[in-house]
Amino acid sequence: MKIIEKNLPQGFVKVVPDSPDDLWHLYNVVYKGDEVYAYSSRAIKSDTETSRPKSAERVSAFMGVKVESVGWDKFLGKLRVHGLICHAPDIIPTGAHHTLSIALNQPMTIVKKEWPKHLLDRLSKASETEKPILIISIDDEGFAIAETKQYGVETRVDQRMRLPGKQDADKRVEATKGYFKLALTSLNKLWSQNHNPIVIIGAGYVKTDFVKYLNEESKEMSKVVVDVKSVNNGGTAGIDEALRSGVLLKAAHQLRVFDESDTMEEVMKRLGKGEGTVTYGLDAVENAVMMGAVEKLVVADKKLRDADEQMRLKIEDLMHQVEKRNAAITVVSTEHEAGAKLLSLGGIVALLRFAIYRETAS
């Protein structure tokens, strides 16, 4: 993300998204009621003596819309901002509905009545370069390769197969060589694009043997292996397990997806133990904030994004109160498992400095 200009007294920030992650960040920054400006095109009907009746001409222009809804298409790499036209050349009618389709490397300006600190922090962090990590999870029943994104972990390859049993040693050795070659070829196709750091996880000796195979077959790739960890499963199940257990934290201490997963694991652990140092739901969290008990406030991005203005302002006021008390805030992406867990708890949770026990009705 490139931040081209920031003028908070006038309420605008101009940015250029330069990665798919940036479009996801902007999806969580642009709210209903904001104004967004960018170059766009629109079909204009004309009915003159020199044109066909009601023929349409597509005109490109710098336009602004008062936002009514925002959509993010991560597969096509587009951010769609729909609303009423509030700024356009005279040929384009203001007040009409229009959708700005924002693509990578396309400048856009966002105007808000007020910029909350957590949104400015989000844009600032998005402007810091962060190289994704490739994770290969392998066992004797298949392998999966995933790439970390700021909104979660995206599985790029999922190959299921079963090696011959140990009792058929010769066939197993030969099949293993072909299996490892396939896994290495798949990994190399992804790695060669950006030379990302690599983490290898898996169950038992298959993972260890694959590490040896990688060292022998690709010295260049073996140099960027930042961690090797054991998990109970291979494939996508192994990746999910590694995220939940935190075994990837050494390799990805700066990646937000791991921080979010780690935070939600702490929430679930405290809930599982019945500790009074965690609470959830808007009313309970608000009460904890007012008591100065909050150690960390955890909010689902969807909770903020889908809220009406009154609800969003209430949540942002809670965030502001938490910041004034020097407590931490984590906004969790609902694009991965941690976010789904948070939504099941109402989308807002607080980890507490001291226990608060609710009175139960007798």
Side-chain angles (χ1 to χ4, degrees):
M1 181 95 71
K2 297 184 180 72
I3 300 176
I4 305 300
E5 188 177 358
K6 183 164 62 176
N7 188 325
L8 297 184
Q10 293 188 25
F12 75 84
V13 177
K14 184 176 182 180
V15 300
V16 179
D18 55 16
S19 78
D21 281 341
D22 293 341
L23 295 175
W24 170 73
H25 282 298
L26 292 170
Y27 174 54
N28 287 285
V29 165
V30 177
Y31 292 157
K32 182 179 179 180
D34 294 347
E35 293 176 6
V36 172
Y37 296 81
Y39 277 94
S40 184
S41 64
R42 183 177 177 87
I44 303 297
K45 290 184 178 179
S46 58
D47 190 3
T48 67
E49 293 179 2
T50 59
S51 68
R52 261 186 318 130
K54 297 183 180 179
S55 64
E57 177 188 3
R58 187 156 286 277
V59 175
S60 295
F62 185 74
M63 300 168 62
V65 299
K66 184 85 167 180
V67 179
E68 292 186 340
S69 64
V70 186
W72 169 53
D73 191 326
K74 66 180 177 181
F75 300 106
L76 295 179
K78 298 279 187 180
L79 183 75
R80 304 189 193 282
V81 183
H82 180 77
L84 298 177
I85 298 172
C86 60
H87 173 85
D90 292 340
I91 193 173
I92 298 173
T94 57
H97 284 90
H98 185 75
T99 298
L100 300 175
S101 183
I102 309 296
L104 294 181
N105 302 309
Q106 179 181 353
M108 63 180 291
T109 300
I110 307 163
V111 181
K112 292 180 178 287
K113 294 177 183 176
E114 184 178 348
W115 278 89
K117 182 177 180 297
H118 72 95
L119 293 185
L120 293 172
D121 288 346
R122 186 177 202 125
L123 289 179
S124 179
K125 288 177 182 176
S127 69
E128 300 169 2
T129 302
E130 185 179 85
K131 184 172 280 193
I133 292 171
L134 289 174
I135 307 164
I136 179 165
S137 173
I138 189 166
D139 64 7
D140 59 4
E141 295 185 355
F143 67 87
I145 304 172
E147 184 178 12
T148 60
K149 302 287 186 181
Q150 291 183 21
Y151 55 79
V153 174
E154 181 180 327
T155 300
R156 303 295 299 276
V157 179
D158 188 5
Q159 181 71 49
R160 295 286 88 198
M161 65 181 298
R162 184 180 291 275
L163 293 173
K166 297 176 184 177
Q167 67 275 10
D168 202 347
D170 291 342
K171 287 185 178 180
R172 185 177 177 88
V173 169
E174 195 62 31
T176 299
K177 288 180 182 177
Y179 175 48
F180 283 175
K181 183 177 180 180
L182 175 62
L184 184 58
T185 300
S186 301
L187 183 61
N188 186 54
K189 283 181 181 177
L190 296 171
W191 178 80
S192 60
Q193 297 171 20
N194 297 302
H195 289 198
N196 311 71
I198 296 171
V199 173
I200 301 172
I201 61 175
Y205 61 89
V206 176
K207 168 209 65 197
T208 306
D209 289 346
F210 179 72
V211 172
K212 292 177 183 176
Y213 181 83
L214 176 64
N215 291 338
E216 292 169 359
E217 297 296 324
S218 179
K219 296 292 184 185
E220 192 177 10
M221 287 177 67
S222 66
K223 290 177 182 177
V224 299
V225 174
V226 293
D227 209 357
V228 179
K229 291 291 185 183
S230 293
V231 290
N232 295 320
N233 302 284
T236 55
I239 293 168
D240 290 340
E241 179 189 340
L243 282 171
R244 288 195 303 271
S245 63
V247 300
L248 298 175
L249 288 177
K250 173 188 170 186
H253 61 280
Q254 291 182 328
L255 286 176
R256 61 182 295 147
V257 61
F258 294 100
D259 175 58
E260 293 169 12
S261 296
D262 193 46
T263 295
M264 282 310 299
E265 281 304 302
E266 179 63 23
V267 168
M268 302 311 289
K269 184 177 77 174
R270 294 191 190 186
L271 286 172
K273 291 182 177 179
E275 296 181 6
T277 55
V278 61
T279 194
Y280 59 91
L282 187 59
D283 291 342
V285 168
E286 183 177 19
N287 179 56
V289 170
M290 294 305 105
M291 294 176 67
V294 175
E295 176 186 19
K296 179 182 281 191
L297 181 64
V298 189
V299 184
D301 58 7
K302 184 177 175 66
K303 182 81 172 176
L304 282 163
R305 190 174 60 243
D306 293 351
D308 58 32
E309 185 174 11
Q310 183 179 358
M311 176 61 71
R312 188 171 65 244
L313 289 174
K314 183 173 184 177
I315 296 171
E316 288 181 343
D317 180 62
L318 287 179
M319 296 170 82
H320 181 60
Q321 296 297 326
V322 165
E323 285 170 344
K324 286 201 303 184
R325 293 173 168 85
N326 296 316
I329 295 174
T330 296
V331 178
V332 176
S333 166
T334 49
E335 291 294 315
H336 60 92
E337 187 181 16
K341 288 180 181 177
L342 182 54
L343 285 179
S344 72
L345 297 173
I348 185 165
V349 171
L351 295 171
L352 308 177
R353 294 188 172 105
F354 51 85
I356 297 177
Y357 295 96
R358 303 180 188 176
E359 291 184 10
T360 57
S362 56

